[in-house]
Amino acid sequence: MEKEKLIKSSEIIGGSGLESSLIQLIQDHNLTTIKTREQTDKAKKNALKSAIRVSDLLVDTVNGGVQETFLNQKRIEHEIIALTATTIRFTKQTDQWLTASHAINSALKFCSLVQAIFRP
């Protein structure tokens, strides 16, 4: 927009000599400044887009590792629950076997005692 104003003003201002040369130099300088500013703004925007992209990629990379770790933790927790249930079941079975073997042992002792009493 500023560029268009400068071009129009240079067309309006005519004349010759030193004054018109100085005006032309100032306008050229202003045009160059505007172009440089536009290029700088464009470069800033591109740099910002690139920085955002890099940041997003880094976050995705870190989150991917975190997500995998979280899933592994959940799998381990489920395995712990399953192993705990299995351990409790085996403990109950072991207690039942111990009770049964103790009953058999007591019955055998009673049988031997009875045989010892009734044996002449």
Side-chain angles (χ1 to χ4, degrees), residues 2 10-12 15-16 23 26-27 38 45 48 75 79:
E2 290 181 42
S10 67
E11 292 171 355
I12 294 172
S16 60
I23 290 172
I26 291 171
Q27 288 175 347
E38 288 173 354
K45 287 178 184 177
L48 184 61
R75 287 185 192 123
E79 284 294 320

Side-chain angles (χ1 to χ4, degrees), residues 94-110:
T94 303
D95 289 343
Q96 289 172 349
W97 278 102
L98 285 173
T99 302
S101 66
H102 181 67
I104 291 172
N105 195 22
S106 296
L108 288 175
K109 285 182 183 178
F110 180 73

Side-chain angles (χ1 to χ4, degrees), residues 9 12 15 28 31-32 43 49 55 69-70 75-76 82-83 86 88-89 94 98-100 102 115 117-118:
S9 65
I12 294 172
D28 289 345
L31 282 174
T32 304
K49 285 179 186 177
S55 175
T69 303
F70 178 76
R75 287 185 192 123
I76 290 169
L83 288 172
T86 302
I88 290 170
R89 188 170 42 100
T94 303
L98 285 173
T99 302
H102 181 67
Q115 280 180 352
I117 292 174
F118 289 110

